[in-house]
Amino acid sequence: MNQYWFYALQDHALREQELARRMAERKLVAEALAARPSLRSRVARRVARKLFTLAVATEREETWRVVWERLEARGRL
């Protein structure tokens, strides 16, 4: 009976160590995922960047049109 109790305690200690190791690994994975932006935010940034680029290109085109119209109005073209 004493041997059974000893093995039960030893098995319990080994399971506790294994659980602690798994929890530490999961914590590391969770921290790594938390540090990285979510897919939703990355896609939103990419779309916002493309929209901003499009807005800048459109603004340049509008600016060029205004300049062109002013030059035409002054008769310089």
Side-chain angles (χ1 to χ4, degrees):
M1 186 68 176
N2 287 339
Q3 286 181 338
Y4 173 77
W5 182 249
F6 174 75
Y7 288 122
L9 288 176
Q10 190 178 24
D11 185 49
H12 181 70
L14 289 175
R15 283 187 282 140
E16 280 184 347
Q17 290 174 357
E18 180 65 20
L19 179 62
R21 185 185 62 78
R22 285 185 188 172
M23 288 174 63
E25 286 177 359
R26 288 181 183 174
K27 186 177 179 182
L28 286 174
V29 169
E31 288 173 354
L33 290 175
R36 185 175 182 204
S38 67
L39 177 62
R40 184 177 183 176
S41 65
R42 288 184 307 210
V43 169
R45 281 193 193 101
R46 187 178 306 142
V47 168
R49 198 175 311 126
K50 287 182 180 183
L51 287 175
F52 179 76
T53 304
L54 181 63
V56 168
T58 303
E59 180 65 29
R60 285 183 187 159
E61 184 67 26
E62 290 296 320
T63 304
W64 178 249
R65 284 186 192 150
V66 170
V67 170
W68 188 266
E69 289 170 1
R70 285 184 185 172
L71 289 173
E72 283 181 339
R74 292 183 182 169
R76 295 187 179 177
L77 290 179

Coordinates of all heavy atoms in Angstrom, one line a residue:
M1 N 0.8 -1.2 0.0 CA 0.0 0.0 0.0 C 0.9 1.3 0.0 O 0.5 2.3 -0.6 CB -0.9 -0.1 1.2 CG -1.9 1.0 1.3 SD -3.1 0.8 0.0 CE -4.2 2.1 0.3
N2 N 2.0 1.2 0.7 CA 2.9 2.4 0.7 C 3.4 2.7 -0.7 O 3.6 3.9 -1.0 CB 4.0 2.2 1.7 CG 3.5 2.3 3.2 OD1 2.4 2.9 3.4 ND2 4.2 1.7 4.1
Q3 N 3.7 1.7 -1.4 CA 4.3 1.9 -2.7 C 3.2 2.5 -3.6 O 3.6 3.4 -4.4 CB 4.7 0.6 -3.3 CG 6.0 0.0 -2.7 CD 6.4 -1.3 -3.4 OE1 5.5 -2.0 -4.0 NE2 7.6 -1.6 -3.3
Y4 N 2.0 2.1 -3.5 CA 0.9 2.7 -4.3 C 0.8 4.2 -4.0 O 0.7 5.1 -4.9 CB -0.4 2.0 -4.1 CG -1.6 2.7 -4.8 CD1 -1.7 2.5 -6.1 CD2 -2.4 3.5 -4.0 CE1 -2.8 3.2 -6.8 CE2 -3.5 4.1 -4.7 CZ -3.7 4.0 -6.0 OH -4.7 4.6 -6.7
W5 N 0.8 4.6 -2.8 CA 0.7 6.0 -2.3 C 1.9 6.8 -2.9 O 1.7 7.9 -3.4 CB 0.7 6.1 -0.8 CG 0.5 7.5 -0.3 CD1 1.5 8.2 0.4 CD2 -0.6 8.3 -0.4 NE1 1.0 9.4 0.7 CE2 -0.3 9.5 0.2 CE3 -1.9 8.1 -1.0 CZ2 -1.2 10.6 0.3 CZ3 -2.8 9.2 -0.9 CH2 -2.4 10.4 -0.3
F6 N 3.1 6.2 -2.8 CA 4.3 6.9 -3.3 C 4.2 7.2 -4.8 O 4.4 8.3 -5.3 CB 5.6 6.1 -3.1 CG 6.8 6.6 -3.7 CD1 7.4 7.7 -3.1 CD2 7.3 6.0 -4.8 CE1 8.6 8.2 -3.7 CE2 8.5 6.5 -5.4 CZ 9.1 7.6 -4.9
Y7 N 3.7 6.2 -5.6 CA 3.6 6.3 -7.0 C 2.5 7.3 -7.4 O 2.6 8.1 -8.3 CB 3.3 5.0 -7.7 CG 4.6 4.1 -7.8 CD1 4.6 2.9 -7.2 CD2 5.7 4.6 -8.3 CE1 5.7 2.1 -7.2 CE2 6.9 3.8 -8.4 CZ 6.9 2.5 -7.8 OH 8.0 1.8 -7.8
A8 N 1.4 7.3 -6.6 CA 0.3 8.3 -6.8 C 0.8 9.7 -6.6 O 0.5 10.6 -7.4 CB -0.8 7.9 -5.9
L9 N 1.6 9.9 -5.5 CA 2.2 11.3 -5.3 C 3.1 11.7 -6.4 O 3.1 12.8 -6.9 CB 2.9 11.3 -3.9 CG 1.9 11.3 -2.7 CD1 2.8 11.2 -1.4 CD2 1.1 12.5 -2.7
Q10 N 3.9 10.7 -6.8 CA 4.9 11.0 -7.9 C 4.2 11.3 -9.2 O 4.6 12.3 -9.9 CB 5.9 9.8 -8.0 CG 7.0 10.1 -8.9 CD 7.9 8.9 -9.0 OE1 7.5 7.7 -8.8 NE2 9.2 9.1 -9.3
D11 N 3.2 10.6 -9.5 CA 2.4 10.8 -10.7 C 1.7 12.2 -10.7 O 1.7 12.9 -11.6 CB 1.4 9.7 -10.9 CG 0.6 9.8 -12.2 OD1 1.3 10.0 -13.2 OD2 -0.6 9.7 -12.2
H12 N 1.2 12.5 -9.5 CA 0.5 13.8 -9.3 C 1.5 15.0 -9.6 O 1.2 15.9 -10.2 CB -0.1 13.9 -7.9 CG -0.8 15.2 -7.6 ND1 -2.0 15.5 -8.2 CD2 -0.4 16.2 -6.8 CE1 -2.4 16.7 -7.8 NE2 -1.4 17.1 -7.0
A13 N 2.7 14.8 -9.0 CA 3.8 15.8 -9.2 C 4.1 16.0 -10.7 O 4.3 17.1 -11.2 CB 5.0 15.5 -8.4
L14 N 4.3 14.8 -11.4 CA 4.6 14.9 -12.8 C 3.5 15.6 -13.6 O 3.7 16.3 -14.5 CB 4.8 13.5 -13.3 CG 6.1 12.8 -12.8 CD1 6.2 11.4 -13.3 CD2 7.3 13.6 -13.3
R15 N 2.2 15.3 -13.3 CA 1.1 15.9 -14.0 C 1.1 17.4 -13.7 O 0.8 18.2 -14.6 CB -0.2 15.2 -13.6 CG -0.4 13.9 -14.3 CD -1.8 13.3 -14.0 NE -1.8 12.7 -12.7 CZ -2.8 12.8 -11.8 NH1 -3.9 13.4 -12.1 NH2 -2.7 12.3 -10.6
E16 N 1.4 17.8 -12.5 CA 1.4 19.2 -12.2 C 2.5 19.9 -13.0 O 2.3 21.0 -13.5 CB 1.7 19.5 -10.7 CG 0.5 19.3 -9.8 CD 0.8 19.7 -8.4 OE1 2.0 19.8 -8.0 OE2 -0.2 19.8 -7.6
Q17 N 3.7 19.3 -13.1 CA 4.8 19.9 -13.9 C 4.4 20.0 -15.4 O 4.6 21.0 -16.0 CB 6.0 19.0 -13.8 CG 6.7 19.1 -12.4 CD 7.8 18.2 -12.3 OE1 8.1 17.4 -13.2 NE2 8.5 18.2 -11.1
E18 N 3.7 19.0 -15.9 CA 3.3 19.0 -17.3 C 2.3 20.0 -17.5 O 2.3 20.8 -18.5 CB 2.7 17.6 -17.7 CG 2.2 17.5 -19.1 CD 3.3 17.6 -20.1 OE1 4.5 17.4 -19.8 OE2 3.0 17.9 -21.3
L19 N 1.3 20.2 -16.6 CA 0.3 21.2 -16.7 C 1.0 22.6 -16.7 O 0.6 23.5 -17.5 CB -0.7 21.1 -15.6 CG -1.8 22.1 -15.6 CD1 -2.7 22.0 -16.9 CD2 -2.7 22.0 -14.3
A20 N 1.9 22.8 -15.8 CA 2.6 24.1 -15.7 C 3.3 24.4 -17.0 O 3.3 25.6 -17.5 CB 3.6 24.1 -14.5
R21 N 4.0 23.4 -17.6 CA 4.7 23.6 -18.9 C 3.7 24.0 -20.0 O 4.0 24.9 -20.7 CB 5.4 22.3 -19.2 CG 6.3 22.5 -20.5 CD 7.0 21.1 -20.9 NE 6.0 20.1 -21.2 CZ 5.3 20.1 -22.4 NH1 5.5 21.0 -23.3 NH2 4.5 19.1 -22.7
R22 N 2.6 23.3 -20.1 CA 1.6 23.6 -21.1 C 1.0 25.0 -20.9 O 0.8 25.7 -21.9 CB 0.4 22.6 -21.0 CG 0.8 21.2 -21.6 CD -0.4 20.4 -21.6 NE -0.2 19.0 -22.0 CZ -1.0 18.0 -21.9 NH1 -2.3 18.3 -21.4 NH2 -0.7 16.8 -22.2
M23 N 0.7 25.3 -19.7 CA 0.2 26.7 -19.4 C 1.2 27.8 -19.8 O 0.8 28.8 -20.4 CB -0.2 26.8 -18.0 CG -1.4 26.0 -17.6 SD -1.8 26.0 -15.8 CE -2.2 27.8 -15.6
A24 N 2.5 27.5 -19.6 CA 3.5 28.5 -19.9 C 3.6 28.6 -21.5 O 3.7 29.7 -22.0 CB 4.9 28.1 -19.4
E25 N 3.5 27.5 -22.2 CA 3.5 27.5 -23.6 C 2.3 28.3 -24.2 O 2.4 29.1 -25.1 CB 3.5 26.1 -24.2 CG 4.8 25.4 -24.1 CD 4.8 23.9 -24.6 OE1 3.7 23.5 -25.0 OE2 5.8 23.3 -24.5
R26 N 1.1 28.0 -23.6 CA -0.1 28.7 -24.1 C 0.0 30.2 -23.8 O -0.5 31.0 -24.6 CB -1.3 28.1 -23.4 CG -1.6 26.7 -24.0 CD -2.9 26.2 -23.3 NE -3.1 24.8 -23.8 CZ -4.1 24.1 -23.4 NH1 -4.9 24.5 -22.4 NH2 -4.3 22.9 -23.9
K27 N 0.6 30.5 -22.7 CA 0.7 32.0 -22.4 C 1.6 32.7 -23.4 O 1.4 33.8 -23.8 CB 1.3 32.1 -20.9 CG 1.4 33.5 -20.5 CD 1.8 33.6 -19.0 CE 1.9 35.1 -18.6 NZ 2.4 35.2 -17.2
L28 N 2.7 32.0 -23.7 CA 3.7 32.6 -24.7 C 3.0 32.8 -26.1 O 3.1 33.8 -26.7 CB 4.9 31.7 -24.9 CG 5.9 31.7 -23.8 CD1 7.0 30.7 -24.0 CD2 6.5 33.1 -23.6
V29 N 2.2 31.8 -26.5 CA 1.4 31.8 -27.7 C 0.4 33.0 -27.7 O 0.3 33.8 -28.6 CB 0.8 30.5 -28.1 CG1 -0.2 30.6 -29.2 CG2 1.8 29.4 -28.4
A30 N -0.3 33.1 -26.6 CA -1.3 34.1 -26.4 C -0.6 35.5 -26.5 O -1.2 36.4 -27.1 CB -2.1 33.9 -25.1
E31 N 0.5 35.7 -25.8 CA 1.2 36.9 -25.8 C 1.7 37.3 -27.3 O 1.6 38.4 -27.7 CB 2.4 36.9 -24.9 CG 2.0 36.9 -23.4 CD 3.1 36.7 -22.5 OE1 4.2 36.5 -22.9 OE2 2.9 36.8 -21.2
A32 N 2.2 36.3 -28.0 CA 2.6 36.5 -29.3 C 1.5 36.9 -30.2 O 1.6 37.8 -31.1 CB 3.3 35.3 -29.9
L33 N 0.3 36.3 -30.1 CA -0.9 36.7 -30.9 C -1.4 38.1 -30.5 O -1.9 38.8 -31.3 CB -1.9 35.6 -30.7 CG -1.7 34.3 -31.4 CD1 -2.8 33.3 -31.0 CD2 -1.5 34.4 -32.9
A34 N -1.3 38.4 -29.2 CA -1.8 39.7 -28.8 C -0.9 40.8 -29.3 O -1.4 41.9 -29.5 CB -1.9 39.7 -27.2
A35 N 0.4 40.6 -29.4 CA 1.3 41.6 -29.9 C 1.1 41.9 -31.4 O 1.3 43.0 -31.8 CB 2.7 41.1 -29.7
R36 N 0.6 40.9 -32.1 CA 0.4 41.1 -33.6 C -1.0 41.7 -33.8 O -2.0 41.2 -33.2 CB 0.5 39.8 -34.3 CG 0.4 39.9 -35.8 CD 0.7 38.5 -36.4 NE 0.7 38.6 -37.8 CZ 0.4 37.6 -38.6 NH1 0.2 36.4 -38.1 NH2 0.4 37.8 -39.9
P37 N -1.2 42.7 -34.7 CA -2.5 43.2 -35.0 C -3.4 42.1 -35.6 O -2.9 41.2 -36.2 CB -2.3 44.3 -36.0 CG -0.8 44.6 -35.9 CD -0.2 43.4 -35.4
S38 N -4.7 42.2 -35.3 CA -5.6 41.2 -35.8 C -5.7 41.3 -37.4 O -5.4 42.3 -38.0 CB -7.0 41.4 -35.2 OG -7.6 42.6 -35.7
L39 N -6.2 40.3 -38.0 CA -6.4 40.3 -39.4 C -7.4 41.4 -39.8 O -7.1 42.0 -40.8 CB -7.0 38.9 -39.8 CG -7.3 38.8 -41.3 CD1 -6.0 38.9 -42.2 CD2 -7.9 37.4 -41.6
R40 N -8.4 41.6 -39.0 CA -9.4 42.6 -39.4 C -8.7 44.0 -39.4 O -8.9 44.8 -40.3 CB -10.5 42.6 -38.3 CG -11.6 43.6 -38.6 CD -12.6 43.4 -37.6 NE -13.8 44.3 -37.8 CZ -14.9 44.3 -37.2 NH1 -15.0 43.5 -36.2 NH2 -15.8 45.1 -37.5
S41 N -7.8 44.3 -38.4 CA -7.2 45.6 -38.4 C -6.1 45.7 -39.5 O -6.0 46.8 -40.1 CB -6.5 45.9 -37.0 OG -5.5 45.0 -36.8
R42 N -5.5 44.6 -39.8 CA -4.5 44.7 -40.9 C -5.2 45.0 -42.3 O -4.7 45.8 -43.1 CB -3.7 43.4 -41.0 CG -2.7 43.3 -39.9 CD -1.9 42.0 -40.0 NE -2.8 40.9 -40.2 CZ -2.5 39.7 -39.9 NH1 -1.4 39.4 -39.3 NH2 -3.4 38.7 -40.0
V43 N -6.3 44.3 -42.5 CA -7.1 44.5 -43.7 C -7.6 45.9 -43.8 O -7.5 46.6 -44.8 CB -8.2 43.5 -43.9 CG1 -9.1 43.8 -45.0 CG2 -7.6 42.1 -44.1
A44 N -8.1 46.4 -42.6 CA -8.6 47.8 -42.6 C -7.5 48.8 -42.9 O -7.7 49.8 -43.6 CB -9.2 48.1 -41.2
R45 N -6.3 48.6 -42.4 CA -5.2 49.5 -42.7 C -4.8 49.5 -44.1 O -4.6 50.5 -44.7 CB -4.0 49.1 -41.8 CG -4.1 49.6 -40.4 CD -2.7 49.5 -39.7 NE -2.9 49.7 -38.3 CZ -3.0 48.7 -37.4 NH1 -2.8 47.5 -37.8 NH2 -3.2 49.0 -36.1
R46 N -4.8 48.3 -44.7 CA -4.5 48.1 -46.1 C -5.5 48.8 -47.0 O -5.2 49.6 -47.9 CB -4.4 46.6 -46.5 CG -3.9 46.4 -47.9 CD -3.8 45.0 -48.3 NE -3.0 44.2 -47.3 CZ -3.3 43.0 -46.9 NH1 -4.3 42.4 -47.4 NH2 -2.5 42.4 -46.0
V47 N -6.8 48.7 -46.7 CA -7.9 49.3 -47.4 C -7.8 50.8 -47.3 O -7.9 51.6 -48.2 CB -9.2 48.8 -47.0 CG1 -10.4 49.7 -47.6 CG2 -9.4 47.4 -47.4
A48 N -7.5 51.3 -46.0 CA -7.4 52.7 -45.8 C -6.2 53.3 -46.5 O -6.3 54.4 -47.1 CB -7.2 53.0 -44.3
R49 N -5.1 52.6 -46.6 CA -3.9 53.0 -47.3 C -4.2 53.2 -48.8 O -3.9 54.2 -49.4 CB -2.8 52.0 -47.1 CG -1.4 52.6 -47.4 CD -0.3 51.6 -47.1 NE -0.4 51.1 -45.7 CZ -0.4 49.8 -45.4 NH1 -0.3 48.9 -46.4 NH2 -0.5 49.4 -44.2
K50 N -5.0 52.2 -49.3 CA -5.3 52.3 -50.8 C -6.3 53.4 -51.0 O -6.1 54.1 -52.0 CB -5.9 50.9 -51.2 CG -4.9 49.8 -51.3 CD -5.5 48.6 -51.8 CE -4.4 47.5 -51.9 NZ -4.9 46.3 -52.5
L51 N -7.2 53.6 -50.1 CA -8.2 54.7 -50.3 C -7.4 56.1 -50.2 O -7.8 57.0 -50.9 CB -9.3 54.6 -49.3 CG -10.3 53.5 -49.5 CD1 -11.3 53.5 -48.3 CD2 -11.1 53.7 -50.8
F52 N -6.5 56.2 -49.3 CA -5.7 57.4 -49.2 C -4.9 57.7 -50.4 O -4.9 58.8 -50.9 CB -4.8 57.3 -48.0 CG -3.9 58.5 -47.8 CD1 -4.5 59.7 -47.2 CD2 -2.6 58.5 -48.1 CE1 -3.7 60.8 -47.1 CE2 -1.8 59.7 -48.0 CZ -2.4 60.8 -47.4
T53 N -4.3 56.6 -51.0 CA -3.5 56.8 -52.2 C -4.4 57.2 -53.3 O -4.1 58.1 -54.1 CB -2.8 55.4 -52.6 OG1 -2.0 55.0 -51.5 CG2 -2.0 55.6 -53.8
L54 N -5.6 56.6 -53.4 CA -6.6 57.0 -54.4 C -7.0 58.5 -54.2 O -7.2 59.2 -55.2 CB -7.8 56.1 -54.4 CG -8.9 56.3 -55.4 CD1 -8.4 56.1 -56.8 CD2 -10.1 55.4 -55.1
A55 N -7.3 58.9 -53.0 CA -7.7 60.2 -52.7 C -6.6 61.2 -53.1 O -6.8 62.3 -53.7 CB -8.0 60.4 -51.2
V56 N -5.3 60.9 -52.8 CA -4.2 61.7 -53.2 C -4.1 61.9 -54.7 O -4.0 62.9 -55.3 CB -2.9 61.2 -52.6 CG1 -1.7 61.9 -53.2 CG2 -2.9 61.4 -51.1
A57 N -4.3 60.7 -55.4 CA -4.2 60.8 -56.9 C -5.4 61.6 -57.4 O -5.2 62.4 -58.4 CB -4.3 59.3 -57.4
T58 N -6.6 61.4 -56.8 CA -7.7 62.2 -57.3 C -7.5 63.7 -57.0 O -7.8 64.5 -57.9 CB -9.0 61.7 -56.6 OG1 -9.1 60.3 -56.8 CG2 -10.2 62.4 -57.0
E59 N -7.0 64.0 -55.9 CA -6.7 65.4 -55.5 C -5.7 66.0 -56.5 O -5.9 67.1 -56.9 CB -6.2 65.5 -54.1 CG -5.9 66.9 -53.6 CD -7.1 67.8 -53.6 OE1 -8.2 67.3 -53.3 OE2 -7.0 69.0 -53.8
R60 N -4.7 65.3 -56.9 CA -3.7 65.8 -57.8 C -4.4 66.0 -59.2 O -4.2 67.0 -59.8 CB -2.6 64.8 -58.0 CG -1.6 64.7 -56.9 CD -0.5 63.8 -57.2 NE 0.4 63.6 -56.1 CZ 1.1 62.6 -55.9 NH1 1.2 61.6 -56.7 NH2 1.9 62.5 -54.8
E61 N -5.3 65.1 -59.6 CA -6.0 65.3 -60.8 C -6.9 66.5 -60.8 O -6.9 67.3 -61.7 CB -6.8 64.0 -61.1 CG -7.5 64.0 -62.5 CD -6.6 64.0 -63.7 OE1 -5.5 63.5 -63.5 OE2 -7.0 64.5 -64.7
E62 N -7.6 66.6 -59.7 CA -8.5 67.8 -59.5 C -7.7 69.1 -59.5 O -8.0 70.1 -60.1 CB -9.3 67.7 -58.2 CG -10.4 66.6 -58.2 CD -11.4 66.9 -59.3 OE1 -11.8 68.1 -59.4 OE2 -11.8 66.0 -60.0
T63 N -6.5 69.1 -58.8 CA -5.7 70.3 -58.8 C -5.2 70.6 -60.2 O -5.2 71.8 -60.6 CB -4.5 70.0 -57.8 OG1 -5.0 69.7 -56.6 CG2 -3.6 71.2 -57.7
W64 N -4.8 69.6 -60.9 CA -4.3 69.8 -62.3 C -5.4 70.4 -63.1 O -5.2 71.3 -63.9 CB -3.8 68.5 -62.9 CG -3.3 68.7 -64.3 CD1 -3.9 68.2 -65.4 CD2 -2.2 69.5 -64.8 NE1 -3.2 68.6 -66.5 CE2 -2.2 69.4 -66.1 CE3 -1.3 70.2 -64.1 CZ2 -1.2 70.0 -66.9 CZ3 -0.3 70.9 -64.9 CH2 -0.3 70.7 -66.3
R65 N -6.6 69.9 -63.0 CA -7.8 70.4 -63.7 C -8.0 71.9 -63.4 O -8.3 72.7 -64.3 CB -9.0 69.6 -63.5 CG -9.1 68.3 -64.1 CD -10.4 67.6 -63.9 NE -10.3 66.2 -64.3 CZ -11.0 65.3 -63.8 NH1 -11.9 65.5 -62.8 NH2 -10.9 64.0 -64.3
V66 N -7.9 72.2 -62.1 CA -8.1 73.6 -61.7 C -7.1 74.5 -62.4 O -7.4 75.6 -62.9 CB -8.1 73.8 -60.2 CG1 -8.1 75.2 -59.8 CG2 -9.4 73.1 -59.6
V67 N -5.8 74.1 -62.3 CA -4.7 74.9 -62.9 C -4.9 75.0 -64.4 O -4.8 76.1 -65.0 CB -3.4 74.2 -62.6 CG1 -2.2 74.8 -63.4 CG2 -3.1 74.3 -61.1
W68 N -5.3 73.9 -65.0 CA -5.5 73.9 -66.5 C -6.7 74.9 -66.8 O -6.5 75.7 -67.8 CB -5.9 72.5 -66.9 CG -6.0 72.3 -68.4 CD1 -7.1 72.4 -69.2 CD2 -4.9 72.1 -69.3 NE1 -6.8 72.2 -70.5 CE2 -5.4 72.0 -70.6 CE3 -3.5 71.9 -69.1 CZ2 -4.7 71.7 -71.7 CZ3 -2.8 71.6 -70.2 CH2 -3.3 71.5 -71.5
E69 N -7.8 74.8 -66.1 CA -8.9 75.8 -66.3 C -8.5 77.2 -66.1 O -8.9 78.1 -66.9 CB -10.1 75.4 -65.5 CG -10.7 74.1 -65.9 CD -11.8 73.6 -64.8 OE1 -12.0 74.3 -63.8 OE2 -12.3 72.6 -65.1
R70 N -7.7 77.5 -65.1 CA -7.2 78.9 -64.9 C -6.3 79.4 -66.0 O -6.4 80.5 -66.5 CB -6.5 79.0 -63.6 CG -7.4 78.9 -62.4 CD -6.6 79.1 -61.1 NE -7.5 79.0 -59.9 CZ -7.0 79.0 -58.7 NH1 -5.8 79.1 -58.5 NH2 -7.9 78.8 -57.7
L71 N -5.5 78.5 -66.5 CA -4.6 78.9 -67.6 C -5.4 79.1 -68.9 O -5.1 80.0 -69.6 CB -3.5 77.8 -67.9 CG -2.4 77.7 -66.8 CD1 -1.5 76.5 -67.1 CD2 -1.6 79.0 -66.7
E72 N -6.4 78.3 -69.1 CA -7.3 78.4 -70.3 C -8.1 79.8 -70.1 O -8.2 80.5 -71.1 CB -8.2 77.3 -70.4 CG -7.6 76.0 -71.0 CD -8.7 74.9 -71.2 OE1 -9.7 75.0 -70.5 OE2 -8.4 74.0 -72.0
A73 N -8.5 80.0 -68.9 CA -9.3 81.3 -68.7 C -8.4 82.5 -69.0 O -9.0 83.5 -69.5 CB -9.9 81.3 -67.3
R74 N -7.2 82.5 -68.7 CA -6.3 83.6 -68.9 C -5.8 83.7 -70.3 O -5.1 84.6 -70.7 CB -5.1 83.5 -67.9 CG -5.5 83.7 -66.5 CD -4.3 83.7 -65.6 NE -4.7 83.8 -64.2 CZ -3.9 83.6 -63.2 NH1 -2.7 83.3 -63.4 NH2 -4.4 83.7 -62.0
G75 N -6.1 82.7 -71.1 CA -5.7 82.7 -72.5 C -4.2 82.3 -72.7 O -3.6 82.7 -73.7
R76 N -3.7 81.6 -71.8 CA -2.2 81.3 -71.9 C -2.0 79.9 -72.6 O -0.9 79.5 -72.8 CB -1.6 81.2 -70.5 CG -1.6 82.6 -69.9 CD -0.8 82.6 -68.6 NE -0.8 84.0 -68.1 CZ -0.2 84.3 -66.9 NH1 0.4 83.3 -66.2 NH2 -0.3 85.5 -66.5
L77 N -3.1 79.3 -72.9 CA -2.9 78.0 -73.6 C -3.3 78.1 -75.0 O -4.1 78.8 -75.5 CB -3.7 76.9 -72.9 CG -3.1 76.5 -71.5 CD1 -4.0 75.4 -70.9 CD2 -1.7 75.9 -71.6

